[in-house]
Amino acid sequence: MNEDEHRMSERRIGIVMNGVTGRMGLNQHLIRSVLAIRKEGGVALADGLRLIPDPILVGRNAAKLEAIAKEHGVARWTTDLRGALADKDDAIYFDSQLTAMRAPSVAAAIAAGKHVYCEKPLAEESAVAMRLAELAKAAGVKHGVVQDKLFLPGMRKLKRLVDSGFFGRIFSVRGEFGYWVFEGDWQPAQRPSWNYRKQDGGGIIKDMFCHWRYVLDHTFGRVRAVQCLGGTAIPERWDEQGVRYDGTADDTAYGTFELDGGIVAQINSSWSFRVYRDELFSLQVDGTLGSAVAGLRECRTQHRVTTPRPVWNPDIENPFRFREQWEDVPDNEVFDNGFKVQWEMFLRHVAEGKAFPHDFVEGARGVQLAELGLRSWAERRWIDVPELGS
Ligand SMILES: NC(=O)c1ccc[n+]([C@@H]2O[C@H](COP(=O)([O-])OP(=O)(O)OC[C@H]3O[C@@H](n4cnc5c(N)ncnc54)[C@H](O)[C@@H]3O)[C@@H](O)[C@H]2O)c1
């Protein structure tokens, strides 16, 4: 193919990317998704064309943007968000800024006629998130929120088991999420300091309940009620500059959720638990016919016919090697980076109207569960989760 033919088989799509100096924006969205898609020659569309994402990096710090652009061979960057949104040649706005900054920027992008894709939480309050959903609908723009955990190999294999009927009737889901995040004094913290300050939009309930909402809704059944107890295990931390600050946000949450079908899900989330499991996240599912334990990448099962018969007897050496009695679910497919898979879906949604279930109403549902979790903790009671959207 000569250069002209090459160009004719390609279709460019401009993406205004805001928040790419951050951890998620840079690693997952710019490098592993948008630039990886470019490197592969774009996304294949049904009409045979290749859709090539063309990012313009937006942020507050010119020096940082310039350095990132240079290092990764990105041609365009700017500190002028308003100007970038005004450019009709760029069809999509992406946002991975600090959560507290998201809603006004997303609203401005919708007003400028952009399709919008963004990190979770969509907003700090579910009413604001639903308002963004309404604005996007009224403007006729496409909208989406990152729901990356659904695309993890472990979760994909778990979903496969659910869809196959492997479990029989599921009654219990138990999750452990977390790892030790260093305080920042004698070893630097491996997460941004705003995560631990309530006044800056931090807190593990706000952060993780968005994820638990779509994981539970999409894998097992709709979340109908929540009960949550939060806490701040580490009240004193040191920030990126080594300055001491008060940890004002929750860093630990013990959540229980009632789902459709009478399923009870319990998920512990913490940045102050030390890991004694195979992965940073693990979810055990028990059903009448079998059980499974899924992590980020792995998924293991035990069927009723291979279930051992333990008898309680602490007077003897434990005769069971319980972990060895579980069987690996094979991959049976190649799992690409989950963020990239979702980006490709969103790009196809914009370019050719392909279905994209992870929209702003879904984003609002995540924010709603976080909000109700916080309320449950404050009021020390179970709270029903009202239906949002249709
Ligand atoms: N999907 C996931 O698994 C996942 C994981 C972590 C974080 N997130 C979400 O991604 C978003 C960014 O998180 P992160 O961990 O990359 O944070 P980060 O602190 O590394 O990045 C924050 C970004 O926002 C920008 N920003 C804009 N205004 C700012 C302000 N006033 N103060 C500070 N920064 C400002 C920063 O320049 C930076 O680009 C958050 O909304 C978070 O909830 C999602």
Side-chain angles (χ1 to χ4, degrees):
M1 209 187 280
N2 66 34
E3 210 166 289
D4 278 347
E5 284 168 332
H6 222 285
R7 222 168 289 132
M8 279 167 63
S9 68
E10 290 180 351
R11 189 169 139 202
R12 170 197 172 275
I13 184 154
I15 308 174
V16 178
M17 296 189 75
N18 193 6
V20 286
T21 57
R23 206 167 58 106
M24 297 307 292
L26 180 65
N27 297 320
Q28 298 298 347
H29 295 287
L30 182 66
I31 300 174
R32 294 206 197 152
S33 298
V34 170
L35 296 181
I37 292 169
R38 267 179 82 84
K39 257 191 209 138
E40 283 176 8
V43 175
L45 298 179
D47 60 7
L49 288 180
R50 312 262 330 167
L51 190 65
I52 314 284
D54 177 16
I56 170 165
L57 313 184
V58 183
R60 299 163 302 157
N61 186 324
K64 277 193 194 168
L65 291 170
E66 189 177 13
I68 292 172
K70 211 167 168 186
E71 185 179 347
H72 299 285
V74 177
R76 305 184 298 149
W77 62 268
T78 179
T79 54
D80 177 13
L81 175 62
R82 209 181 265 253
L85 291 179
D87 191 338
K88 297 282 176 235
D89 280 348
D90 292 318
I92 296 177
Y93 172 73
F94 169 75
D95 190 301
S96 63
Q97 291 186 96
L98 208 71
T99 307
M101 317 300 296
R102 183 127 53 243
S105 305
V106 166
I110 294 170
K114 305 284 180 228
H115 305 296
V116 182
Y117 184 48
C118 64
E119 259 298 352
K120 48 56 60 178
L122 174 54
E124 294 207 284
E125 291 160 32
S126 62
V128 176
M130 279 306 285
R131 177 82 189 123
L132 292 174
E134 281 155 19
L135 285 175
K137 193 174 169 197
V141 298
K142 307 257 183 358
H143 43 101
V145 160
V146 173
Q147 300 196 325
D148 53 292
K149 307 292 179 266
L150 291 176
F151 302 91
L152 289 168
M155 292 299 117
R156 295 280 298 275
K157 288 188 268 190
L158 180 62
K159 180 77 166 93
R160 211 192 277 157
L161 293 175
V162 172
D163 292 346
S164 76
F166 169 81
F167 293 104
R169 178 175 53 80
I170 295 172
F171 42 83
S172 164
V173 174
R174 282 172 299 145
E176 280 290 336
F177 164 85
Y179 48 95
W180 184 262
V181 175
F182 282 94
E183 300 90 325
D185 49 352
W186 63 288
Q187 290 194 50
Q190 64 272 45
R191 294 182 62 89
S193 59
W194 65 265
N195 285 183
Y196 304 93
R197 289 190 297 265
K198 200 177 182 159
Q199 63 275 27
D200 291 335
I204 201 161
I205 297 173
K206 256 189 186 170
D207 189 330
M208 294 314 297
F209 277 37
C210 293
H211 291 296
W212 305 148
R213 178 68 195 261
Y214 66 74
V215 166
L216 296 171
D217 274 4
H218 284 257
T219 316
F220 307 107
R222 276 281 169 89
V223 178
R224 299 298 180 189
V226 56
Q227 183 269 129
C228 169
L229 179 67
T232 306
I234 308 293
E236 185 179 33
R237 290 183 174 272
W238 283 260
D239 69 12
E240 291 76 3
Q241 280 72 46
V243 177
R244 186 208 159 279
Y245 66 95
D246 289 331
T248 48
D250 44 289
D251 61 9
T252 302
Y254 311 89
T256 311
F257 311 91
E258 269 182 357
L259 317 187
D260 273 348
I263 300 171
V264 176
Q266 297 164 269
I267 306 184
N268 295 324
S269 316
S270 182
W271 290 314
S272 45
F273 288 170
R274 295 183 179 86
V275 179
Y276 185 70
R277 20 180 156 92
D278 292 333
E279 299 189 76
L280 298 190
F281 174 52
S282 99
L283 200 61
Q284 172 159 344
V285 182
D286 291 292
T288 49
L289 301 184
S291 298
V293 178
L296 308 184
R297 302 198 63 88
E298 305 299 328
C299 185
R300 299 201 169 91
T301 59
Q302 188 168 87
H303 193 258
R304 68 193 290 259
V305 300
T306 54
T307 302
R309 190 184 176 82
V311 175
W312 182 267
N313 187 355
D315 296 333
I316 59 165
E317 278 293 323
N318 173 20
F320 293 98
R321 293 286 163 269
F322 290 110
R323 281 178 192 268
E324 291 168 14
Q325 295 161 341
W326 293 68
E327 214 180 341
D328 275 323
V329 177
D331 283 359
N332 289 356
E333 61 181 286
V334 176
F335 295 106
D336 204 346
N337 177 288
F339 289 88
K340 176 166 170 263
V341 172
Q342 217 192 333
W343 260 105
E344 289 168 346
M345 281 176 73
F346 187 72
L347 288 172
R348 288 200 177 94
H349 178 53
V350 169
E352 47 190 12
K354 279 263 169 68
F356 188 80
H358 318 287
D359 63 9
F360 275 9
V361 175
E362 277 279 298
R365 290 190 179 118
V367 180
Q368 177 197 38
L369 190 64
E371 216 164 60
L372 297 181
L374 285 164
R375 201 164 106 206
S376 160
W377 174 23
E379 297 176 8
R380 300 180 70 79
R381 65 180 182 94
W382 274 95
I383 298 194
D384 287 338
V385 178
E387 196 69 63
L388 274 188
S390 51

